[in-house]
Amino acid sequence: MSDISLREDRFTKINRVFFALYGLFCAVLVVVYAIQRDGYHLGISLGAMLVPLAIPLFYAVLHLKPVQQLNFLVLAFTFLAYPLGACLDLYRILPGFDKVAHTLSGVFVSLLCLILYYALKPGHAIERPDAPLAMVFTFLGSMAVAGLWEICEYLVSAIVGLDLQRVAATGVADSMQDMIVCMIGTLATLPFVHRLCGGKRDLVTGAVEAFVELNLKG
């Protein structure tokens, strides 16, 4: 059995437990906010609970093989950003939580950008000469998403009437700091991109390698 298969089997077992606990946690939030008649938090808790269902749907619609390592990372970041950050309001309650989440978003989005790079690359092979262009592509893609995220937060703030970007208290400082820490997370990921191109892997880039092997190589 290949190293990728062994890692996929390991994460299949981990995900069975993780996905179940995630669903239970979100279900509790839904019940609590329904009792409190808190429509905003109830809505985002329901949305968060749908993520484990959306992941296999994504693979089915695009006719892709599931990548358990990637599934774990997607749900781990989602758990941090939504059930904890938004649904439990840790973004507002816990100082610095927002900045930690945005830093990790730089890492997470960099992973997705690297997958996109290899999806677009002819032949899809992970090779050492890829490193410079793969790093530039990953950096620019992650920073583009950071900017789009702040635009979406601005639009959602206008719709729901909540100051998600803390404009009243910080002006543009909160949005700028979010993009800066996202950039820090992205820059911290680039050495791992370089290592992957050289044939070395870790938890994050191992998921990229598995996706390429399972879905992009014919």
Side-chain angles (χ1 to χ4, degrees):
M1 185 178 288
S2 69
D3 183 51
I4 290 176
S5 296
L6 288 171
R7 284 185 279 124
E8 283 295 289
D9 286 345
R10 187 182 309 125
F11 275 92
T12 297
K13 297 173 184 176
I14 292 171
N15 285 344
R16 288 195 189 107
V17 177
F18 184 31
F19 274 56
L21 291 175
Y22 175 98
L24 179 61
F25 187 87
C26 290
V28 170
L29 290 176
V30 168
V31 172
V32 169
Y33 288 128
I35 292 172
Q36 294 178 350
R37 297 184 180 180
D38 184 338
Y40 172 73
H41 287 98
L42 174 61
I44 58 178
S45 296
L46 284 169
M49 193 164 63
L50 294 176
V51 172
L53 302 176
I55 291 174
L57 181 62
F58 166 81
Y59 289 109
V61 169
L62 296 182
H63 304 290
L64 298 171
K65 296 178 182 177
V67 181
Q68 297 299 328
Q69 297 167 77
L70 180 60
N71 294 350
F72 175 82
L73 293 173
V74 169
L75 201 66
F77 180 74
T78 300
F79 182 68
L80 175 77
Y82 289 98
L84 293 183
C87 301
L88 281 184
D89 254 352
L90 291 188
Y91 287 136
R92 180 177 58 84
I93 297 170
L94 189 61
F97 186 89
D98 178 56
K99 298 300 175 276
V100 171
H102 276 281
T103 302
L104 293 177
S105 76
V107 177
F108 177 68
V109 175
S110 293
L111 157 72
L112 300 182
C113 289
L114 187 57
I115 289 175
L116 178 59
Y117 173 82
Y118 280 108
L120 295 173
K121 179 191 173 186
H124 314 298
I126 299 175
E127 300 170 315
R128 188 179 296 275
D130 296 338
L133 183 57
M135 291 168 70
V136 171
F137 185 94
T138 298
F139 176 79
L140 294 179
S142 180
M143 296 314 300
V145 171
L148 289 172
W149 179 270
E150 294 302 320
I151 291 172
C152 289
E153 274 197 346
Y154 173 81
L155 294 175
V156 171
S157 294
I159 294 170
V160 301
L162 296 176
D163 189 5
L164 300 177
Q165 296 177 305
R166 301 176 60 208
V167 174
T170 68
V172 300
D174 185 67
S175 293
M176 292 304 299
Q177 290 166 10
D178 286 349
M179 288 190 285
I180 289 169
V181 296
C182 178
M183 182 176 67
I184 291 172
T186 301
L187 291 172
T189 308
L190 296 184
F192 296 97
V193 176
H194 190 277
R195 290 180 76 250
L196 177 66
C197 295
K200 300 176 182 179
R201 71 183 71 84
D202 50 75
L203 175 61
V204 174
T205 56
V208 176
E209 181 190 42
F211 188 92
V212 171
E213 290 294 326
L214 293 174
N215 289 296
L216 299 181
K217 289 190 174 180

